[in-house]
Amino acid sequence: MSSTLKVGIVGYGNLGRGVRMALEQNSDMELVAVFTRRDPKTMKHEEGLRFEHVSAMEAYRGEIDVMILCGGSATDLPEQTPAAASLFNTVDSFDTHAKIPAFFGAVDEAARKSGQVSVISTGWDPGLFSMNRLLAEAILPQGKEYTFWGKGVSQGHSDAIRRVPGVKAGVQYTVPVEAVIDRIRSGETPELATREKHTRHCYVVAEEGADLAGIEREIVTMPNYFADYDTTVTFITEEELKREHSGMPHGGFVIRSGVTGEGTKQLVEFGLKLESNPEFTASVLVAYARAAVRLSREGASGAKTVFDIPLGYLSPKSAEELRRELL
Amino acid sequence: MSSTLKVGIVGYGNLGRGVRMALEQNSDMELVAVFTRRDPKTMKHEEGLRFEHVSAMEAYRGEIDVMILCGGSATDLPEQTPAAASLFNTVDSFDTHAKIPAFFGAVDEAARKSGQVSVISTGWDPGLFSMNRLLAEAILPQGKEYTFWGKGVSQGHSDAIRRVPGVKAGVQYTVPVEAVIDRIRSGETPELATREKHTRHCYVVAEEGADLAGIEREIVTMPNYFADYDTTVTFITEEELKREHSGMPHGGFVIRSGVTGEGTKQLVEFGLKLESNPEFTASVLVAYARAAVRLSREGASGAKTVFDIPLGYLSPKSAEELRRELL
C-alpha cells in the first residue's frame, strides 16, 4: 500500500471493539472515527478514539478509505451496508446464510452505483469456512463435506433461552460430537442426522421461584433451536454465570473426505479454536478491509465475497515478499 | 465455463497419471493428449489416451487450453515451464522454495510475451499450505506459525538413502512429533529446533553382505538430510518393502497460534491426510488449470501463484451458485 489506510467503524459492540483492537495490530491502518447510533457524548471516551453519530458519516467522504460495519445481520446490516456502500468501500460480516443472495444483490447495486467496493459476509462462517468448503470441493469433487461448530457460545440460541418465561439469564454452548469427528478423520463418510453432529448445553439462571422442570422442558423441546438436538440444561447462579460463562469462545472444523483415482482416500481439514469469537471475526474483517481498498484503488466496484478476492490482497506484504517468504 | 476445457499433460510419471485420473472426475474438462520425452510408441496405451512426443506440442496450439506440467522441479520444470508458457496457458507444481523468485521471473517473462497465463508452484506445499500461512498471518499478525509435514514419504530423503553404498532400495518417512503439535494446539508457542518437530524413519533393503552398521551410521549422520533429526533405520527385505511401503502417503499441518486484543488466544489450523501425495497434488493442479483458463479468457497474462487467484476461479460453479451453496 502506498499510504496508511483510513478506517471507520460503524457500531461499537463486541465486534466493533474487536475491530479497534485489531487495527492496533496493523501498522498500515489507522482508525479515523467510530460511528454509533447512540449519542456520541454518552460513549465512554477511550484515549485517541473519536465517536460520531452515524448521521455524520457523509462528512467523512474522502477522509475514510473503508468502513467496517459491525452491526447485526438481523436488522442492522440489511440497512447499513447498502447505505454505507453508497458512500464508502465497506466490509461486513452478514451471516444469515439463506439471505446472502438477496443481500448481495442490494449491496452490489449500491456499490456499483457509487463506484465503491463492498466485501460482504466475511468472518469465519461465512468466511474462512466457506473458503475451505469451496477449495476442498474444487480439489476433491468426489467427496463429502462436514462442518462442525464449537465448542462455542451461540448467540442466537442463548437469546432463545433468555426468552423462556422464568429465565433471568443464560448461555448456550454448541459442542461438536468428538467421536463422530474421529470417525471422519479416520476416513469414514457417515450420513449424519443433526442430533449426531452437535450437542447443546444450556447454563440457565432462573428467576426466584420459577418452575425449573418447566423451563427445562420448554428449552429442550423448542422447535428449530433445540428439539433436534440432545440438549442439557444446567441451572446455575448469576455469580457462576458471570464468573464461568462471560467469555465468547468458539471455533469448529470444515472437513472434506474425498476420493481420488481408484478409491484413494484424501482428507482436507480446516479448524479454528477461538478464545474470542468477536475478536477473531474482527481480525478477519480488518484483513478484508485492506483487500477492499486495494481492489477499489485498482478500479473495481460492486459487492465481493471471499470467493472473489485473491488471498495476496489480505496481506500488507508485496507480491514479491509473499512469494519469497510464504509460498 | 462456456465450453469444455481442453487439457494437455506434459510428463507421465506418478503426477501425470494422477492428473489423468483427476480429469475424469471433472466433467467440464477433457484430456486431449499426453506429451512425453519417451518414444510415444513405447507407452502402454490406455483406452482413449493419446501420447505425443514433447516436440509435437506446438502443433496443438489452439487445440489445448492449458498444459499441466508434471515434471520434476530439479531439472524438468525450469526448462519446460517457460517453453510451454510461450505457447499455452500452464500449471505446474515447482516446489524448490528458494528458487521460486527466479522461476517466477523466467516464467512471467515467457507468459507475458506469449499472452498466456502460467500458474506456478501450486499443489499443497507450496500451494494450499502457503495459502493458509498467508491467510492466518494476515488475520493474526501477532502470532507464530508452524508447519509440520507427514506422516509421509519424502522423495528427496528416500533418494538420499538409496545413494548410500550397500543400499539396494529404501524409503524414508517424515513423522511430525505429535506431542509438540498437542502443545501448540493447547495454546503454547514454543521455539522449536529442527529435531523437535519431526523424526525420520528409514526402511532400507541392503545389498547382500553389506555392512549394516556402516549403512546406518552413514544415514543418520548425513548432513542436511538426517544429521539434524532423530533418525531410525530399519532393515527389511525387498518383499517387505514392496508389500508395506509402496504407497505414497503424506500430509501435514499449518498451525498459526495468534493473539488478539489483550492476550486472547486464537488458533487457526489447516491439515491434510493423504493416501496418495501425487494424486492429491494432481487434483490441485487440475483445479488451478481451470483457474488459469478462466484468467486467460478474461485477458490476463503472465505468471500467477496461489496468492493471485480468487478461490471462486477454482470451481466449475458460477459465482451465484457458490454464494448460494457454499458461502
Side-chain angles (χ1 to χ4, degrees), chain B residues 84-141:
Chain B
S86 68
L87 299 166
F88 300 96
N89 297 311
T90 69
V91 180
D92 70 51
S93 60
F94 183 81
D95 66 357
T96 313
H97 286 263
K99 295 186 178 166
I100 285 175
F103 183 73
F104 181 90
V107 176
D108 192 49
E109 196 189 331
R112 281 187 194 280
K113 212 173 278 174
S114 65
Q116 307 287 335
V117 170
S118 284
V119 181
I120 67 154
S121 299
T122 187
W124 59 275
D125 196 1
L128 306 190
F129 275 21
S130 323
M131 293 159 74
N132 278 279
R133 283 189 283 265
L134 190 164
L135 186 62
E137 179 186 280
I139 293 166
L140 299 172

Side-chain angles (χ1 to χ4, degrees), chain B residues 6-12 20 30-36 39-41 43-54 56-57 59-60 63-64 67:
Chain B
K6 309 271 191 301
V7 180
I9 294 174
V10 182
Y12 204 60
R20 174 184 58 73
E30 183 190 327
L31 176 58
V32 174
V34 176
F35 299 86
T36 169
D39 179 353
K41 289 197 204 80
M43 303 297 287
K44 186 185 150 228
H45 276 65
E46 298 162 50
E47 203 180 334
L49 205 54
R50 184 197 297 182
F51 286 101
E52 292 278 7
H53 192 261
V54 279
M57 226 188 265
Y60 282 83
E63 282 185 60
I64 284 180
M67 283 286 188

Side-chain angles (χ1 to χ4, degrees), chain A residues 100-244:
Chain A
I100 285 175
F103 184 73
F104 180 91
V107 177
D108 193 49
E109 195 188 334
R112 282 187 191 279
K113 213 174 276 176
S114 66
Q116 307 287 336
V117 170
S118 285
V119 181
I120 67 154
S121 299
T122 187
W124 59 275
D125 197 2
L128 307 189
F129 275 20
S130 324
M131 292 159 75
N132 278 279
R133 283 189 283 263
L134 189 164
L135 186 61
E137 179 186 278
I139 293 166
L140 299 172
Q142 285 182 20
K144 198 164 160 53
E145 179 259 313
Y146 299 89
T147 299
F148 291 90
W149 296 273
K151 182 188 174 178
V153 173
S154 161
Q155 223 46 63
H157 288 77
S158 298
D159 289 346
I161 292 173
R162 292 189 283 258
R163 285 193 297 263
V164 172
V167 170
K168 196 170 176 188
V171 63
Q172 192 265 188
Y173 294 92
T174 307
V175 180
V177 178
E178 279 294 335
V180 160
I181 298 181
D182 289 343
R183 282 173 61 197
I184 296 166
R185 283 187 184 140
S186 74
E188 288 184 49
T189 50
E191 291 293 332
L192 298 171
T194 301
R195 190 177 299 277
E196 295 173 279
K197 290 183 69 187
H198 299 90
T199 54
R200 298 195 177 276
H201 301 266
C202 308
Y203 294 86
V204 176
V205 180
E207 312 261 14
E208 230 183 277
D211 168 17
L212 302 189
I215 289 174
E216 179 169 353
R217 196 169 46 242
E218 184 150 350
I219 290 175
V220 303
T221 60
M222 197 186 294
N224 302 318
Y225 287 91
F226 296 104
D228 297 334
Y229 297 85
D230 290 338
T231 303
T232 65
V233 176
T234 308
F235 290 98
I236 58 174
T237 65
E238 209 154 4
E239 292 67 40
E240 248 178 302
L241 185 79
K242 271 193 194 128
R243 198 176 62 235
E244 310 283 345

Side-chain angles (χ1 to χ4, degrees), chain A:
Chain A
M1 290 284 163
S2 47
S3 65
T4 306
L5 264 71
K6 309 272 192 300
V7 180
I9 294 173
V10 182
Y12 204 60
N14 289 322
L15 187 58
R17 278 192 293 275
V19 169
R20 174 184 60 71
M21 293 190 281
L23 289 170
E24 287 168 12
Q25 294 188 336
N26 289 278
S27 59
D28 61 331
M29 298 190 173
E30 184 190 326
L31 176 58
V32 174
V34 175
F35 299 87
T36 169
R37 279 174 304 197
R38 289 173 275 181
D39 179 355
K41 290 198 203 78
T42 67
M43 301 298 286
K44 184 183 150 229
H45 276 66
E46 298 162 51
E47 204 180 334
L49 205 54
R50 184 197 298 182
F51 285 100
E52 292 279 7
H53 191 261
V54 280
S55 60
M57 227 189 265
E58 192 161 359
Y60 281 83
R61 280 189 84 165
E63 283 186 59
I64 284 179
D65 295 310
V66 56
M67 285 288 189
I68 303 182
L69 306 176
C70 301
S73 297
T75 55
D76 300 336
L77 294 175
E79 286 196 15
Q80 284 179 356
T81 303
S86 68
L87 299 166
F88 301 96
N89 297 310
T90 69
V91 180
D92 70 51
S93 59
F94 183 81
D95 66 358
T96 313
H97 286 262
K99 294 185 179 166
I100 285 175
F103 184 73
F104 180 91
V107 177
D108 193 49
E109 195 188 334
R112 282 187 191 279
K113 213 174 276 176
S114 66
Q116 307 287 336
V117 170
S118 285
V119 181
I120 67 154
S121 299
T122 187
W124 59 275
D125 197 2
L128 307 189
F129 275 20
S130 324
M131 292 159 75
N132 278 279
R133 283 189 283 263
L134 189 164
L135 186 61
E137 179 186 278
I139 293 166
L140 299 172
Q142 285 182 20
K144 198 164 160 53
E145 179 259 313
Y146 299 89
T147 299
F148 291 90
W149 296 273
K151 182 188 174 178
V153 173
S154 161
Q155 223 46 63
H157 288 77
S158 298
D159 289 346
I161 292 173
R162 292 189 283 258
R163 285 193 297 263
V164 172
V167 170
K168 196 170 176 188
V171 63
Q172 192 265 188
Y173 294 92
T174 307
V175 180
V177 178
E178 279 294 335
V180 160
I181 298 181
D182 289 343
R183 282 173 61 197
I184 296 166
R185 283 187 184 140
S186 74
E188 288 184 49
T189 50
E191 291 293 332
L192 298 171
T194 301
R195 190 177 299 277
E196 295 173 279
K197 290 183 69 187
H198 299 90
T199 54
R200 298 195 177 276
H201 301 266
C202 308
Y203 294 86
V204 176
V205 180
E207 312 261 14
E208 230 183 277
D211 168 17
L212 302 189
I215 289 174
E216 179 169 353
R217 196 169 46 242
E218 184 150 350
I219 290 175
V220 303
T221 60
M222 197 186 294
N224 302 318
Y225 287 91
F226 296 104
D228 297 334
Y229 297 85
D230 290 338
T231 303
T232 65
V233 176
T234 308
F235 290 98
I236 58 174
T237 65
E238 209 154 4
E239 292 67 40
E240 248 178 302
L241 185 79
K242 271 193 194 128
R243 198 176 62 235
E244 310 283 345
H245 303 284
S246 59
M248 278 172 286
H250 221 310
F253 310 88
V254 176
I255 310 178
R256 188 170 184 89
S257 183
V259 170
T260 59
E262 291 159 6
T264 309
K265 288 189 175 176
Q266 315 276 22
L267 209 81
V268 181
E269 177 168 345
F270 179 80
L272 295 173
K273 197 174 152 189
L274 311 174
E275 279 189 0
S276 166
N277 181 358
E279 286 183 20
F280 186 80
T281 301
S283 295
V284 178
L285 288 176
V286 166
Y288 276 95
R290 183 182 287 121
V293 177
R294 199 171 286 194
L295 282 165
S296 175
R297 288 183 182 168
E298 287 180 4
S301 72
K304 309 283 176 193
T305 75
V306 294
F307 298 154
D308 305 314
I309 299 172
L311 291 177
Y313 283 46
L314 304 178
S315 172
K317 294 180 176 173
S318 71
E320 293 73 25
E321 284 176 290
L322 292 175
R323 285 194 294 271
R324 202 171 53 233
E325 296 174 15
L326 295 174
L327 197 64

